[in-house]
Structure formats: C-alpha cells, structure tokens
Amino acid sequence: MDYKYLSELLFPNVTETVEEIEAKYPPRNLPEGAKVTRFAPSPTGFVHFGGMYQAVVDYMLAHQSGGVFFLRIEDTDGKREITGAVEALINTLKYYGMDYDEGMMLENGVLVEKGDYGPYKQSERAGIYAVYAKKLVSEGKAYPCFTTEEEYEALQQVDKKAEIKNIDWHTAAAEKRAAMLAGREFTIEEVKEHLANGDPFVIRILADGDPEKKTKFTDQVKGALEVPENDEDFVLLKSDGIPTYHFAHAVDDHLMKTTHVIRGEDWLPSLPKHIQLFRYLGFKMPKYLHTAQILKTDENGNKKKISKRDMGAKMDDYTMLGYSTNVVWEYLLTLLNSNFEEWRMQNPTTPFREFPFSIKKMAVAGCLFDFDKLNDVAKNVVCRMTADEVYDNTLAWAKVYDPDFAKALESTPEMAKAALSIGRGGAKPRKDFGRWDEVKGYMGFFFDDYYKVVDEIPERFPKEDVRAALTKYIGIYDESDDQTAWFDKIKALAGELGYAPETKLWKKEPDRYKGHVGDVSMFLRIAVTGKASSPDMYEVMRILGRDKVVSRIKAYIDRM
Ligand code: GLU
C-alpha cells in the first residue's frame, strides 16, 4: 500500500512537517543534570491528594537541580471537562505554594500561558498531534480504523465476556486479536469510500510487539522491570482528532523536553504502549518515576486505595479542615522520603523546600495515609510558627469558615496575638493545636463572646473552699507581680485553706491536706478560662487584665 498517499487522504489539511514542529521546540538551555518535570492533571475540578503527592516530587526534583517544572492541562477527555475547573486547579496549586515555572497560569483571574514550549493545554495542540499521526501513517506504523465507537467497545468487551461466561481466555483473546487484525486489512478504495461517506475513523497504531517477549525497563522508583511488548493496536487519535493519553504523553513530553515523568503507578500497565510509541516516533524516552498508590486503613483494618469520596482525597478538604499549607507539604514529604522526619528533627527551622529530596528514599509500594500522623506533623509545624503567622492564617481561614470568630480576632488583634504567643518560641514550644479550626477551642475564651464555663470543678472539693479561694484571690491579685510573686501568692493561699502549698508535700502526706496548690490553681483556671486546661495562667491573667479577671471570678462565684 502507498502509505504516503494514505496519509494525504486522511490528513489533507495537515501541511506542516514534523521537522518544522521540532524546530519550534529547541533543546532547553539548562545546566548539566537539570531535571525538567511536569504536573499534568486532567481538569476534574479539584486537585487530588495523590496529584499533590506527585507534584511535590516534580517541584523538588526540578528546583533542586536548577531545572524547570511546568503545568500541562490534559483536557483530552471532553466528557470530564467542567467549566472553571482549570482556574480552580491553578488556584489550589497557588494556595499550596506549588510554584511552577511554566505552563498555564492565572493573571488577574485570566488564564494565560507562560513559557516557550506550549501550548500547555492539550485541547490546543490538536494540530501538532495530527502532524505526528500523519507521519506514522505515512510510514505504515499507524492506520485508520473505521470501526465505530460501539463496535470497538464490543471488541473490548470480549475479555469481560470471557470472564463472565467462562469462555476459555485464549479463545476470547484469539477472537479479539482476529477482529483487530481484520481491521488492518483494507484497500485505498475502501478508505476513499468511507471518507466520501463522511464515516468517522480513529487512528490506531500498528502494533508489532510479541507479548511473550519482554523488554528490560528501569523505573526510577520501582527499579528493574520486565515489560512485555505491546501487540494491541491502541488508538492514537480519536475520531474528533483528540489524542488518547498515550499519544499526547509521547508527543508532549518529547516536545516539551520533559526529562522525568512522575505519575501514578496505575500507568505502569500502559508502559508497553509507551515504549512502542516512543520507538515508532523516534523519540528518546524520558526517565519514569511511578509513584506508589495512596492507601488508607478501612474500618476492618484492611488497606484500601483512597477514594474520591474519602475525607482527605481532595486538597480542598485540607483547606477546609484548617491545615496550614506548610503542614500539608511536610506531611507529603514525610510520606515521600523516609528520612524527612529525621532531617526535620536535625533542622527544625530550615524551610522544607530546602530538604534534600532523594528519589532513592521514595516509597516503592502503597503509601499509607492517616490523619493521626498528619495531626502530629501539624502540631510540630504550627508550634514553630510565630504568633503573627498563626494569627494571620487563622484569620484567613476563619474569614471563610467561621466568620464570627474572624470578627472576634479582628476586633482585638493585639490581645489575640498576645494570647497566641503564650508558650511559643524557645527550644520546646507548646504543641496545643495543629489546625486553624482548633484555635477557637484553644484561646477563644479570651473573648467574652466565647468565654463559657465548660468544665466543672470536681465535686470532691467543698464549695466553701472554692468560694473562699476565689474570693480571697480577688483580694491578693496584683497585676504588677512577676511570675514568681504571682505563684507564691497562690501557694500561700493554698496553705491558708488547708491545701498543700507544694505538690510534693501533698504526695508525701496526702491525708494531711485537702488537696494541693494545683487544685487551687484549677479553681482559678476554670473560673477565668472556663476550662480545666489552658495556656499558662500567669500569662492568661496578664493579657486579660485585672478588670476581666476579677469580673469573671466574681461572676463564677455568683453562679455557684
Ligand atoms: N492526565 C494524567 C492523569 O491525570 C497524567 C498522567 C501523567 O502524569 O502522565 O492521570
């Protein structure tokens, strides 16, 4: 068959040559060893946690090697396209500080492209794919298939039918193969007739592989693999000219000079197709990192793939729950590199972006997601923030998710910041909370609107003791006392009421006392904060000021 002629028949409007396109995508001018990576999501309306996991790898590898990280929008599946989805995706990446150098971006709310290797949206690259498809057809490596979508679906169903009806698998596979091979048989006249009728067609690869034969392949994460050759005439271009993932991946990553493809391990089974396609197109294959699936433990303790409906599957979940973007990054790095936590302990204040990321330390198989660990990381990260950072982040979060609390924070920022600085700084900062939605519970009592007595003083303490302690305290509280003088007064007060002024005295002779100084402090704490646990009481009282401390204690006594 005259393949050249066939290609002209199928692509009469394609006049550009592969050489002309290649000339528009020159080698990137980058230092030796620089990695070029890309995040290539489909615009489904949200960023998946698994996507962010890959993007962190993209980011770290490119930026730590002086390379380039770009964003490509893979919108070839028209059925999945949602309006505003690209914008939402970019906003999420931006919010999470997932800074990339090239690709689709938002400028004042308008979608723009940045970089010389675009277009970065696959739906705008149809003309490019057609040129490569035409070339493959002209070389006899691809062919038109006029089988309708439905007929093809039916063909695909053969495997399933075999499974259900228990047909011998070999027979079913042979049937399918026969049908596929039959599709390869056509004459130029038949093609002309189809085209004259306006029949839709797809372009399929003409697979030359023998699945019995294996090719050696090294995945940067999984290590040495044996990959069977591909014998399936898979689709390159759909009838509307839109490429399949496989074809677009090969053409785009070649032209855009991607050096490392980081993608989910669910793409591993497609590797035979990609190896063949790169060979047919004469492209050098990039390096591949197939990342482990994110798993969770279900109610029965079994490990399961995290699903779209699970809390934590979408990045917006973390925003809503009030996790700092830094927390999410540090958690992802904890999952991605087995030595991250150790590094963090040794370098408590170094920005996480400076962590020396290593491909060798990446998880090879299923990586377990769990909220307990995330919360742990959250507390460790948030405790190292300044009060101002905590205030700003909490306020930003509350403006969206808890507007009343936002108003409270804004009403007295100085007090809020002072409250948030208690126990901060120093070698062992307090780890009271890790999420912005926990801040109200932690320090809301500073605001009269949120002050509420939620904890009870245990009944074993006689009411007269509590009343006496609180009443006397009003008389001795002096705002100018330093912390020692302040506590000495509480100790003295305890002694006066028959409570041990030191806990250790009480421990030695518990029968001699009604309780100890800690109990007296607890009376005060509950009266002033409404809660049995709170930040340091000396600081709390100092920030609230005498009037408020006294009025809360008085009100508490009145309600007793
Ligand atoms: N659009 C593909 C996906 O969302 C990208 C896979 C890849 O990174 O190559 O799965």
Side-chain angles (χ1 to χ4, degrees), residues 35-38 61 220 258-262 286-287 289 359:
K35 297 183 174 74
V36 178
T37 60
R38 84 295 190 278
L61 293 187
Q220 304 294 302
T258 306
T259 63
H260 290 68
V261 168
I262 293 112
K287 290 195 162 63
L289 284 82
I359 299 178

Side-chain angles (χ1 to χ4, degrees), residues 6-7 31 58 122 235 299 307 316 336 358 423 528 542 559:
L6 176 63
S7 74
D58 287 317
Q122 288 182 332
V235 175
E299 315 76 55
S307 97
D316 293 345
L336 276 164
S358 153
V528 175
R542 206 178 49 80
R559 280 195 308 268

Side-chain angles (χ1 to χ4, degrees), residues 38 40-42 54 72 74 80 245 249 253 261-263 267:
R38 84 295 190 278
S42 302
Q54 288 156 23
R72 182 171 69 225
E74 306 219 322
R80 276 157 67 190
Y245 166 78
H249 154 51
D253 282 318
V261 168
I262 293 112
R263 63 182 183 189
W267 288 110

Side-chain angles (χ1 to χ4, degrees), residues 10 79 235 239 313 345 393 508 512:
L10 296 172
K79 283 176 232 132
V235 175
S239 53
M345 263 187 311
N393 278 291
K508 240 188 264 168
R512 241 190 91 181

Side-chain angles (χ1 to χ4, degrees), residues 107 110 205 211 420 445 521 526:
E107 250 174 41
V110 180
I205 197 162
L420 289 167
F445 67 83
S521 299
I526 291 186

Side-chain angles (χ1 to χ4, degrees), residues 77 312 360 393 487:
D77 188 352
K360 288 193 190 75
N393 278 291
F487 196 48

